[in-house]
Every structure is written in structure tokens, then in C-alpha cells.
Amino acid sequence: MTTKDRNALTLPHSYDRAALARFELFLFAGIATVLITRAYLAATGYPQIGGGALHIAHVLWGGLLMAVAIVATAITEGSRTRDLATLVGGIGFGLFIDEVGKFVTSDVDYFYQPAIAIMYVVFVLFYLAAREVVIRRGMNDRHRLAIGARALSDLALGQLDEIQYNHALRVLDGVEDRSLTDLVDSIKAGLHSQTPPTGGIESKITRGRNAFFHRAEELLRHRVVRRLVLTLFVLQALLAIVQVIYALVSENVVEADDVSDLVVQISTVATGVLVVLGVWFLFRGPYLRALRLLRASLIVSLLVTQVYLFTQDQFGALFGFAVSLFMLATLRIAIRSEEAAAALPQRDRRPTR
């Protein structure tokens, strides 16, 4: 592998991180809106907005906000509008999807129990699909030029801050097509023509977000946290083994009443097998394989088992969901550290357990 190939593999801006950040803002706004809306309605006794036979469902407000977001991006320029439209659109989507129970039941039941599970599936699939598209699409030279030109447009509108400015220059540095050199130089010259503000609200938000994620990653990277998570997996593996032994001794085989129960039983067994195998390799090695198996068990749980839990316990399943996300984040950081260590020469490697 040449030096150029290695650099391409390790390039920190090989996909549009700003696009992914905007989508994550949209998704976060949607999820937060669902949680806040349901909490507010429960606390106020589910009031009716309107009078008499009139009922203004909040799905209508959601549609209005999504329309506002679409129109805003259609008639105005600048990344600031895109970011604001992303937030407004996410809130609108949250209000829209919150009433899904009314549209999948014949009696228009807002309290339809599987509604939370439906929302969960929509958000998870939405995230996986969008993330896959953004990462797999990557950034070719034309895409890099478009990002630079957009930064130049923001600079003209007075909406470009220092962080976005530096990001655009780094992205432009990655253009390799010699035929585009003149265009790249022109965009860079335009960016260098003015000094972007350093104290803008976008810069403060970005710095705050980066500081938060940096500290969160430091916490998750800590050896004590990693050992705590791995201990939880060991306990889960022991529990899975005990459950299997108990089922065999007592001949207490649980029968599935419907397809959903069968799917949940299969996913639970798959999760248990992956956890047991992961713990086995945790003690016998290789360590990286153990981490990957444990990560796979969490993904199966989040994508399948967790859906069933939400149908049974509505928001009561949020605690288990949060714990699973915490464990998954810790594993992802541990796997990244192990993969980085594996790429180093043998003499430079350090134990990370």
C-alpha cells in the first residue's frame, strides 16, 4: 500500500461530517419532541386544543413546521438557514410521528401500545440508512469543491465562522484532480479575502459540542468504565447460561404465541450466544474479536429485542435502552483503540485493557 493510499484511508474528512451532524440534529430534535410532547400531555391530562367538535391534532402543527423548513431552504441562502431548517423540520417530524397510533388503528387510538415501538423502528432505520448513505457516498473532488463554494457563499452572507472556515480549507486541501487546481485556488483566494469572526454563536456552539464529546469520550475510554462494561457482559453471559440450564432441567420451554414472540425469542437467543462467545474470547483471546462479538450482541438487541420491549413497556424501556447505548459507545471506542494499536509496529503497542 502506498503512502497516498494510507492517507486516503486515514483522512479525517473522507465523508461529509457536516451533513451527518445536520441529520443527527434533525433526529435528536424529533426524538426530543416526542418525549417532551408525551410528557407534557400526560402532565396536563391530555387537553384538547380547540373547542366543541374541533380538535387540532399536533400532527398538523408538525406538518406546518416541516413545510416551513422546506420553504426556508427553498427561498433563502446560507448554512445558517439550513441548520435552523433542520431543527425546525426535526421538531415537525417529531410532532408528526408522535401521532402514528391514530393512523394505524381503525379507532384512531393515540394510546395504541405498539406506537412507541413503531416510532423507535422508524428512528433507528432512518438513522442507519442516512448514516450509511453519507459515509458510503464519501467525498469526491467535486463534492469537496461544493463544500468550499458553500463556505464562500456563507462568507459573503456573513454567516461563516472560524471553525467552518478552517474546515472548508482542510476539505479543499483534499482535492487531488489536477484539472480542478485553478478552481480550488480561486475558492481559497475568496476565503482568504476576509477574516471570519471568531466569536460567533456557531463557533461557540461547535466548541461547546466538541468539548462535551471530547470529555465524554475520555470518560468512556477510561479503564474503569471499560472494565465495568465488560463485567456487565460477563454477568449477562452467566445469566444466559443459567437460563439455558434451568430450561433444560425444568423442561420449561416457552412457546411463542405469535410471530413477534418468536422473533423476540430468536433475537434473545442470538444475543445470548454472541455474548457468551464474546466473553469466551475475552478470556481466551483474541481480545479484538471478543469486543466485536459483544458489539454485535448489542446491535441485535437494539434493533430487534428493544422494539419488543417498547411495545410491552412503552417508555419504561428507556432505561435499558440508555444502558445499551452507553455500553455500545464504550465498545466502539475500545474497538477503535484496539484497531489503532493493531496497526502499530509490535514494539510500539501498549496494553489497553
Side-chain angles (χ1 to χ4, degrees), residues 233 237 240-241 270-287 289-294 297:
F233 277 116
I241 294 172
T271 300
V273 170
L274 289 170
V275 169
V276 170
L277 287 175
V279 170
W280 169 266
F281 285 112
L282 196 62
F283 290 100
R284 301 296 298 268
Y287 185 58
R289 181 182 298 174
L291 296 178
R292 288 171 174 166
L293 285 168
L294 296 176
S297 73

Side-chain angles (χ1 to χ4, degrees), residues 330-350:
T330 304
L331 283 180
R332 288 180 63 180
I333 291 174
I335 289 172
R336 193 167 60 199
S337 299
E338 290 297 321
E339 289 174 341
L344 293 174
Q346 186 69 35
R347 65 178 181 276
D348 295 331
R349 297 183 188 178
R350 295 180 180 179

Side-chain angles (χ1 to χ4, degrees), residues 282-334:
L282 196 62
F283 290 100
R284 301 296 298 268
Y287 185 58
L288 185 56
R289 181 182 298 174
L291 296 178
R292 288 171 174 166
L293 285 168
L294 296 176
R295 179 183 60 181
S297 73
L298 284 175
I299 292 174
V300 171
S301 176
L302 286 169
L303 293 182
V304 183
T305 311
Q306 200 71 37
V307 178
Y308 177 81
L309 294 178
F310 273 111
T311 63
Q312 298 299 310
D313 200 17
Q314 296 277 28
F315 288 108
L318 280 175
F319 177 75
F321 173 69
V323 172
S324 296
L325 285 183
F326 168 75
M327 296 171 70
L328 181 61
T330 304
L331 283 180
R332 288 180 63 180
I333 291 174

Side-chain angles (χ1 to χ4, degrees), residues 233-251:
F233 277 116
V234 172
L235 295 176
Q236 187 178 349
L238 292 175
L239 179 61
I241 294 172
V242 169
Q243 288 176 334
V244 171
I245 294 174
Y246 174 76
L248 292 175
V249 172
S250 63
E251 298 182 355

Side-chain angles (χ1 to χ4, degrees), residues 18-167:
L20 188 59
R22 282 193 300 271
F23 173 73
E24 289 175 345
L25 173 62
F26 169 87
L27 210 61
F28 174 80
I31 294 172
T33 299
V34 170
L35 296 176
I36 293 172
T37 299
R38 296 237 164 185
Y40 169 77
L41 292 176
T44 56
Y46 298 93
Q48 177 173 310
I49 302 177
L54 181 63
H55 170 64
I56 305 177
H58 52 268
V59 67
L60 299 177
W61 297 111
L64 177 62
L65 289 176
M66 286 190 284
V68 169
I70 294 171
V71 172
T73 56
I75 66 175
T76 57
E77 303 293 338
S79 295
R80 187 174 299 173
T81 299
R82 287 162 60 110
D83 294 340
L84 182 60
T86 298
L87 177 62
V88 172
I91 294 173
F93 183 72
L95 292 173
F96 162 76
I97 198 68
D98 182 60
E99 296 215 276
V100 67
K102 290 185 176 182
F103 302 103
V104 297
T105 55
S106 57
D107 56 349
V108 195
D109 184 10
Y110 176 76
F111 302 99
Y112 179 55
Q113 191 170 1
I116 301 299
I118 294 173
M119 294 181 221
Y120 176 80
V121 170
V122 169
F123 281 123
V124 168
L125 293 182
F126 214 170
Y127 174 75
L128 292 177
R131 189 176 188 276
E132 188 70 11
V133 168
V134 171
I135 292 178
R136 283 192 174 275
R137 179 184 62 189
M139 283 199 298
N140 57 32
D141 289 343
R142 296 286 178 179
H143 193 176
R144 292 176 183 276
L145 281 174
I147 291 175
R150 190 159 58 239
L152 188 58
S153 174
D154 288 340
L155 182 63
L157 293 169
Q159 298 181 11
L160 188 71
D161 64 14
E162 183 185 20
I163 292 177
Q164 295 167 333
Y165 170 82
N166 292 328
H167 170 73

